């Protein structure tokens, strides 16, 4: 494991609370865009971690190299680091607006005439094949308890890139945008919460550890966003308890 089990528990709890707090702001209209949610979520997670005052556990925003190539179909980046190695997590943010709009969260690209979301999933493949833990993150503006049955009850609904890619490849018509019905099918089969996503990365069930070095150099041409949230703790534990 990347960290001791108790530290993983703390980080997962911080992630759950950060996502829940950000969803509350979205539901109340304080947050109005996907990018706004993403930045508020990472900021809330940083504050949650800092507020716990766990010795050795730190959270900070890392500005990545402006020369790094962008455009791999992700909006957010979280780096989890101990004293010897680190792992990279990236996610694409989507706000389907299921309470007010119908089949409006995806669109056709002018250049290809194909689904924009399919294109984003395809572009994520390079990072996923190079050890990055990649997932799709669907935001919900519903009040708690009023979200559709196929969405998470307290935070965002997440799907690992692997499952999103599989669904994308078998779509009946790639020349049409994703529909709400297709999203429902994807989430009913593969949805998980943000805390479970981060826990799987920390427990080395997702993503590949990298030797400790400059984060920007390690990201190279993986197309990370301009900033990343870095969660670090010096200790680690390789043994996963079953």
């Amino acid at each position: 494991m990347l960290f001791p089990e108790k530290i993983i528990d703390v980080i997962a709890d911080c992630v759950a609370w950060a996502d829940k707090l950000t969803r509350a702001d979205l539901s109340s209209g304080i947050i109005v865009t996907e990018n706004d949610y993403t930045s508020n979520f990472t900021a809330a997670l940083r504050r949650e971690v800092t507020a716990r005052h766990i010795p050795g556990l730190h959270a900070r925003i890392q500005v990545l190299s402006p020369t790094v190539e962008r455009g791999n179909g992700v909006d957010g980046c979280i780096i989890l680091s101990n004293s010897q190695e680190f792992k990279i997590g990236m996610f694409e943010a989507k706000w389907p607006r299921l309470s007010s709009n119908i089949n409006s969260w995806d669109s056709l690209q002018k250049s290809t005439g194909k689904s924009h979301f399919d294109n984003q999933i395809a572009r994520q493949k390079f990072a996923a094949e190079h050890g990055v833990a990649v997932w799709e993150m669907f935001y919900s503006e519903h009040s708690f308890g009023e979200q559709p049955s196929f969405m998470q009850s307290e935070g965002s609904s997440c799907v690992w890139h692997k499952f999103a890619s599989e669904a994308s490849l078998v779509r009946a018509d790639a020349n049409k945008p994703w529909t709400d019905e297709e999203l429902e099918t994807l989430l009913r089969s593969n949805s998980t919460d943000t805390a479970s996503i981060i826990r799987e990365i920390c427990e080395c069930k997702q993503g590949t550890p990298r030797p400790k070095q400059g984060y920007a150099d390690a990201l190279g041409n993986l197309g990370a966003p301009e900033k990343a949230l870095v969660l670090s703790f010096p200790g680690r534990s390789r043994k996963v308890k079953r």
Side-chain angles (χ1 to χ4, degrees):
M1 293 195 290
L2 198 63
F3 308 120
E5 188 171 356
K6 289 184 178 180
I7 296 299
I8 295 177
D9 289 342
V10 170
I11 293 175
D13 189 57
C14 288
V15 169
W17 272 106
D19 197 11
K20 185 174 182 178
L21 290 168
T22 312
R23 176 178 163 183
D25 283 347
L26 180 65
S27 178
S28 64
I30 297 174
I31 290 174
V32 295
T33 67
E34 292 170 348
N35 289 339
D36 197 16
Y37 193 111
T38 300
S39 62
N40 275 271
F41 166 64
T42 53
L45 177 52
R46 179 183 60 79
R47 292 193 297 270
E48 281 290 321
V49 170
T50 301
R52 303 297 172 98
H53 296 292
I54 306 296
L57 180 59
H58 300 287
R60 63 183 176 85
I61 299 297
Q62 169 80 42
V63 177
L64 304 175
S65 171
T67 62
V68 172
E69 181 182 351
R70 310 298 174 194
N72 72 339
V74 298
D75 293 314
C77 182
I78 298 176
I79 295 173
L80 298 143
S81 175
N82 61 37
S83 57
Q84 299 182 39
E85 57 192 2
F86 69 98
K87 301 182 78 173
I88 304 167
M90 296 184 191
F91 61 92
E92 167 62 24
K94 291 294 179 187
W95 180 16
R97 295 173 172 83
L98 297 178
S99 67
S100 58
N101 297 320
I102 299 175
N103 298 327
S104 63
W105 60 275
D106 189 20
S107 61
L108 295 181
Q109 291 187 316
K110 292 183 179 180
S111 59
T112 65
K114 297 184 182 298
S115 161
H116 179 59
F117 187 44
D118 281 341
N119 180 266
Q120 289 176 309
I121 292 172
R123 284 185 282 132
Q124 295 166 3
K125 183 178 179 181
F126 181 80
E129 289 180 340
H130 286 76
V132 177
V134 183
W135 70 96
E136 321 303 326
M137 194 163 169
F138 296 93
Y139 301 148
S140 172
E141 75 282 3
H142 297 83
S143 298
F144 296 108
E146 296 182 5
Q147 69 282 337
S149 60
F150 54 87
M151 300 194 80
Q152 295 293 318
S153 60
E154 295 194 334
S156 304
S157 299
C158 301
V159 176
W160 285 112
H161 168 76
K162 174 181 182 294
F163 301 121
S165 180
E166 290 172 352
S168 174
L169 291 173
V170 299
R171 291 187 66 222
D173 192 347
N175 295 317
K176 291 183 178 180
W178 277 64
T179 65
D180 295 347
E181 184 178 1
E182 287 178 297
L183 175 61
E184 176 178 351
T185 299
L186 176 65
L187 294 182
R188 283 197 184 279
S189 301
N190 302 289
S191 175
T192 188
D193 57 78
T194 47
S196 296
I197 288 282
I198 297 301
R199 182 179 292 278
E200 286 194 48
I201 298 174
C202 292
E203 292 178 346
C204 293
K205 296 176 181 177
Q206 297 284 346
T208 302
R210 299 167 183 266
K212 195 68 175 288
Q213 64 185 83
Y215 300 129
D217 292 337
L219 284 163
N221 63 348
L222 295 178
E226 294 182 1
K227 296 179 180 179
L229 174 64
V230 180
L231 304 180
S232 60
F233 183 80
R236 66 173 179 173
S237 174
R238 285 294 187 184
K239 185 178 180 181
V240 178
K241 294 184 178 180
R242 301 296 183 185

